[in-house]
């Protein structure tokens, strides 16, 4: 039987034992690919040795992965700025975005997330809001390990994402010998007959499994 080609197929020859806790085989491949790319990034080898095909067979040396990743991340979206197109006409919005970036240390988080994203091929930033906080401090942003990110799709249209789960394994709060799965889920409701979104409301649920 032919093997399905996925975005993670090129790394399969370098991976170790596959994880089994993710819901699908492709999710397990994706998570293992992240771990393998991280291992390559932190490798102590100064270079990988490659052998050219259809040539004299002499080795080709490439820089260590850390150098490639760091250099790529340095130039990727360099000079990113957050703000309205015309700050003079939108002074209040410009100030709010400026204060948000300072308060949340956005550019520091962005640079760390960007470098990890170049290494793994994916990165996720999670924006949350807490209505109980004082005005001007309710919205927060954090980086999320893409290995905990599991999108949900419409069964009739796999290009339509209907929700997302952020899934983390942790020690049971009442029994340190047990492991529980903490799930944070966001989703929107769609009409089953038409496939159209019922409303713009995004539902949120947090639970332990």
């Amino acid at each position: 039987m032919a093997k399905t080609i996925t975005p993670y197929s090129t790394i399969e020859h370098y991976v170790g034992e596959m994880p089994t806790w993710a819901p699908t085989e492709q999710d397990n491949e994706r998570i293992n690919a992240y771990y393998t790319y991280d291992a390559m990034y932190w490798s102590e080898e100064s270079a990988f040795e490659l052998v050219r095909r259809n040539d004299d067979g002499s080795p080709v040396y490439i820089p260590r992965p850390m150098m490639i990743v760091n250099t790529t991340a340095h130039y990727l979206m360099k000079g990113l700025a957050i703000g309205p197109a015309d700050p003079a006409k939108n002074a209040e919005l410009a100030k709010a975005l400026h204060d948000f970036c300072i308060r949340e240390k956005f550019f520091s988080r962005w640079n760390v997330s960007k470098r990890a994203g170049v290494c793994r091929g994916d990165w996720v930033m999670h924006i949350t809001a807490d209505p109980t906080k004082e005005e001007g401090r309710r919205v927060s942003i954090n980086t999320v390990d893409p290995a905990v990110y599991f999108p949900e799709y419409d069964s009739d249209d796999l290009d339509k994402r209907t929700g997302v789960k952020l899934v983390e394994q942790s020690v049971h709060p009442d029994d340190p010998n047990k492991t529980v799965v903490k799930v944070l889920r966001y989703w929107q409701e769609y009409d089953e007959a038409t496939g159209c979104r019922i409303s713009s409301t995004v539902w949120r649920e947090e639970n332990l499994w």
Side-chain angles (χ1 to χ4, degrees):
M1 185 174 64
K3 179 175 175 57
T4 302
I5 303 300
T6 73
Y8 317 104
S9 296
T10 56
I11 196 67
E12 65 180 5
H13 300 295
Y14 302 95
V15 301
E17 184 178 352
M18 293 287 290
T20 58
W21 63 273
T24 69
E25 181 180 353
Q26 182 166 330
D27 282 324
N28 284 319
E29 289 181 356
R30 174 174 64 89
I31 293 168
N32 210 12
Y34 295 151
Y35 296 156
T36 304
Y37 287 133
D38 272 339
M40 287 182 171
Y41 177 83
W42 293 108
S43 172
E44 296 180 0
E45 298 294 332
S46 59
F48 281 99
E49 181 179 320
L50 304 180
V51 177
R52 294 178 290 189
R53 294 183 177 179
N54 300 323
D55 206 336
D56 59 5
S58 58
V60 177
Y61 293 92
I62 63 174
R64 63 183 300 186
M66 182 179 290
M67 181 182 297
I68 296 174
V69 169
N70 290 353
T71 301
T72 302
H74 176 75
Y75 290 102
L76 180 64
M77 300 186 72
K78 189 174 183 180
L80 173 69
I82 305 295
D86 190 341
K89 291 183 178 179
N90 300 277
E92 187 175 348
L93 175 59
K95 183 179 186 307
L97 290 172
H98 175 267
D99 292 346
F100 171 80
C101 288
I102 296 297
R103 185 184 76 244
E104 294 299 315
K105 302 177 181 176
F106 172 78
F107 291 104
S108 296
R109 296 179 189 273
W110 168 255
N111 286 330
V112 172
S113 183
K114 180 174 65 169
R115 184 180 61 192
V118 170
C119 175
R120 298 168 181 159
D122 291 318
W123 73 83
V124 178
M125 301 195 81
H126 186 201
I127 299 177
T128 59
D130 185 347
T132 64
K133 290 186 177 181
E134 61 181 293
E135 186 175 348
R137 306 186 67 85
R138 293 172 181 167
V139 179
S140 298
I141 187 167
N142 290 289
T143 58
V144 174
D145 183 346
V148 309
Y149 174 87
F150 295 90
E152 299 177 343
Y153 296 98
D154 188 316
S155 58
D156 295 322
D157 183 356
L158 296 181
D159 290 328
K160 182 192 292 185
R161 183 170 49 192
T162 59
V164 164
K165 287 190 180 82
L166 299 180
V167 182
E168 295 182 87
Q169 296 185 86
S170 61
V171 177
H172 194 290
D174 300 322
D175 187 348
N177 297 317
K178 292 183 179 180
T179 300
V180 293
V181 177
K182 180 180 179 181
V183 179
L184 175 58
R185 181 179 181 235
Y186 297 99
W187 77 97
Q188 290 185 301
E189 295 180 327
Y190 288 79
D191 186 284
E192 292 185 3
T194 64
C196 296
R197 190 171 59 187
I198 295 176
S199 73
S200 59
T201 302
V202 177
W203 298 92
R204 179 184 187 277
E205 179 185 24
E206 187 170 0
N207 211 336
L208 291 178
W209 289 2

